[in-house]
Protein backbone atom coordinates (compact mmCIF):
# COMPACT_ATOMS: atom_id res chain seq x y z
CA UNK A 1 0.00 0.00 0.00
CA UNK A 2 1.00 3.66 -0.16
CA UNK A 3 2.61 3.74 3.30
CA UNK A 4 4.75 0.62 2.83
CA UNK A 5 2.72 -1.47 5.28
CA UNK A 6 1.81 -4.97 4.29
CA UNK A 7 -0.33 -7.49 6.10
CA UNK A 8 1.14 -10.79 7.14
CA UNK A 9 -0.94 -13.88 7.45
CA UNK A 10 -0.12 -16.64 9.91
CA UNK A 11 -1.25 -20.11 9.06
CA UNK A 12 -1.08 -21.65 12.52
CA UNK A 13 2.46 -22.93 12.31
CA UNK A 14 3.88 -24.16 15.57
CA UNK A 15 7.41 -23.85 16.84
CA UNK A 16 8.88 -26.59 18.96
CA UNK A 17 11.93 -26.04 21.14
CA UNK A 18 14.43 -28.82 21.58
CA UNK A 19 16.72 -29.29 24.54
CA UNK A 20 19.92 -31.28 24.54
CA UNK A 21 21.27 -32.61 27.81
CA UNK A 22 24.60 -34.25 28.40
CA UNK A 23 25.04 -36.71 31.21
CA UNK A 24 28.71 -37.22 31.94
CA UNK A 25 30.59 -38.15 35.05
CA UNK A 26 32.63 -35.24 36.35
CA UNK A 27 35.83 -35.06 38.34
CA UNK A 28 36.64 -32.40 40.89
CA UNK A 29 39.93 -30.59 40.49
CA UNK A 30 41.69 -30.22 43.82
CA UNK A 31 44.61 -27.94 44.48
CA UNK A 32 47.70 -30.11 44.84
CA UNK A 33 50.46 -29.39 47.34
CA UNK A 34 53.11 -27.73 45.21
CA UNK A 35 55.84 -28.19 47.81
CA UNK A 36 56.38 -30.26 50.94
CA UNK A 37 55.89 -27.18 53.13
CA UNK A 38 52.80 -25.81 51.36
CA UNK A 39 49.86 -25.47 53.76
CA UNK A 40 47.56 -23.39 51.59
CA UNK A 41 47.44 -21.75 48.19
CA UNK A 42 45.40 -19.26 46.24
CA UNK A 43 44.22 -19.49 42.64
CA UNK A 44 45.68 -16.39 41.01
CA UNK A 45 44.40 -16.99 37.48
CA UNK A 46 42.36 -19.58 35.64
CA UNK A 47 44.06 -20.29 32.31
CA UNK A 48 40.95 -22.03 30.97
CA UNK A 49 37.33 -20.89 30.86
CA UNK A 50 34.16 -22.80 31.61
CA UNK A 51 33.34 -25.03 28.64
CA UNK A 52 36.94 -25.24 27.39
CA UNK A 53 38.37 -28.59 26.37
CA UNK A 54 41.31 -29.71 28.52
CA UNK A 55 44.04 -32.25 27.82
CA UNK A 56 45.95 -34.11 30.53
CA UNK A 57 49.20 -32.27 31.29
CA UNK A 58 47.85 -28.92 30.11
CA UNK A 59 48.10 -25.96 32.54
CA UNK A 60 44.64 -24.98 33.76
CA UNK A 61 45.37 -22.48 36.57
CA UNK A 62 48.12 -20.52 38.30
CA UNK A 63 48.40 -21.04 42.06
CA UNK A 64 50.21 -18.78 44.50
CA UNK A 65 51.94 -20.66 47.31
CA UNK A 66 54.15 -19.47 50.15
CA UNK A 67 57.18 -19.67 47.83
CA UNK A 68 56.14 -18.97 44.24
CA UNK A 69 53.39 -18.86 41.62
CA UNK A 70 53.12 -22.16 39.76
CA UNK A 71 51.03 -23.60 36.94
CA UNK A 72 48.75 -26.50 37.88
CA UNK A 73 48.21 -29.11 35.19
CA UNK A 74 45.12 -31.22 34.49
CA UNK A 75 45.39 -34.89 35.40
CA UNK A 76 42.75 -36.03 32.88
CA UNK A 77 41.33 -35.12 29.47
CA UNK A 78 37.91 -33.50 29.53
CA UNK A 79 36.04 -30.20 29.65
CA UNK A 80 36.01 -27.54 32.35
CA UNK A 81 32.36 -27.61 33.32
CA UNK A 82 32.23 -25.10 36.18
CA UNK A 83 34.63 -22.91 38.15
CA UNK A 84 33.30 -22.94 41.70
CA UNK A 85 35.95 -21.05 43.66
Amino acid sequence: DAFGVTKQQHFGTSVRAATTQLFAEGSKVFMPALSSTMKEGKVVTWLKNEGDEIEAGEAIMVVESDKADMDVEAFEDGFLAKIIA
Side-chain angles (χ1 to χ4, degrees):
D1 92 317
F3 296 100
V5 176
T6 57
K7 291 184 181 180
Q8 293 182 345
Q9 294 181 347
H10 297 280
F11 296 102
T13 58
S14 63
V15 176
R16 203 172 103 201
T19 302
T20 302
Q21 294 181 352
L22 295 175
F23 296 100
E25 184 177 329
S27 299
K28 291 184 179 180
V29 177
F30 294 98
M31 186 180 306
L34 301 175
S35 71
S36 59
T37 60
M38 183 177 168
K39 300 284 185 219
E40 59 184 44
K42 175 179 135 183
V43 176
V44 177
T45 306
W46 282 94
L47 302 174
K48 293 292 187 173
N49 297 310
E50 291 181 3
D52 285 352
E53 185 172 4
I54 296 171
E55 295 180 12
E58 183 176 18
I60 57 172
M61 65 178 141
V62 177
V63 172
E64 179 184 89
S65 72
D66 55 342
K67 297 186 181 199
D69 291 358
M70 298 185 68
D71 290 352
V72 174
E73 297 177 353
F75 295 109
E76 303 176 29
D77 294 331
F79 291 87
L80 183 58
K82 184 82 175 157
I83 297 174
I84 298 173

